[in-house]
Amino acid sequence: EPTLGESFRGFWALALRTAQTKLTYRLSTLLSVIASALAYSVFLLVWLEVYRQNPHPGPLERPVLIAYLICAFLVNAILTLSLEMRFLQRVRLGLVVGDLVRPLGFLAFQVAQGVGDALVNLVFVAPIFLVGYAFVGPAVLPAGPGSFALGLVSIVLAFLVTFGIAYLIVQAGFVLQSGYGVLFARAALHQVFSGLAAPLVMFPPSLRN
């Protein structure tokens, strides 16, 4: 039975190895982030047109909403984990059996890979943050040290929620012939109700509640 220190070292070694693996395919990862940014720019263009036709479509002014959308994309990009796709591929190849008998444990194994995903995403998202800052300025920055600290806490909690949902889909993959249906259903619901397309305060009351 590994000690706590050995488990901790194994956890970070796996997280770093996951990050290194993703960086091996850095061009593919970079293109994926750029493609996501271009797709998300459609939301920005739609909202810019909404505000052009109606300067007050909701409780938020245009600069606030645009800054929110940029921050929402950045956080979502950092927390986009590859757990489900990686797991489903390993199931298809018959490699998941080895994951189940690792000393680290299956849950800790998945968490470590999720941390590795987030570390790499953070590297690739940094240039996009600079582009967003060039367009909207300090509006994308925290209002002060307290807001920055609360933002970090929120991102950590958001990681736990994101991982929890991904892990449920991983578990569903054990009992379903294919987990892709659940994965795509989750992606569609996430796109609408996570606040990624618009802050919840802009939703109609029936959806907001």
Side-chain angles (χ1 to χ4, degrees), residues 87-166:
F87 170 79
L88 293 175
Q89 289 173 358
R90 293 181 69 80
V91 168
R92 189 171 64 251
L93 296 173
L95 300 175
V96 72
V97 176
D99 300 338
L100 296 174
V101 297
R102 291 177 183 271
L104 188 60
F106 185 73
L107 175 59
F109 177 74
Q110 299 297 328
V111 175
Q113 289 190 313
V115 171
D117 288 334
L119 291 175
V120 173
N121 293 341
L122 186 62
V123 172
F124 284 101
V125 162
I128 299 178
F129 166 77
L130 295 177
V131 173
Y133 182 83
F135 276 96
V136 301
V140 296
L141 298 176
S147 298
F148 178 74
L150 290 174
L152 290 180
V153 172
S154 297
I155 290 176
V156 172
L157 294 176
F159 172 83
L160 296 177
V161 172
T162 302
F163 172 81
I165 295 173

Side-chain angles (χ1 to χ4, degrees), residues 26-38 73 80 128:
R26 52 187 175 273
L27 180 59
S28 174
T29 304
L30 177 61
L31 291 176
S32 176
V33 173
I34 293 175
S36 297
L38 292 176
F73 170 78
T80 298
I128 299 178

Side-chain angles (χ1 to χ4, degrees), residues 1-22:
E1 186 74 19
T3 65
L4 181 61
E6 290 172 341
S7 298
F8 184 78
R9 287 192 294 272
F11 178 92
W12 279 109
L14 179 58
L16 293 177
R17 178 59 61 88
T18 302
Q20 290 172 355
T21 301
K22 292 194 72 170

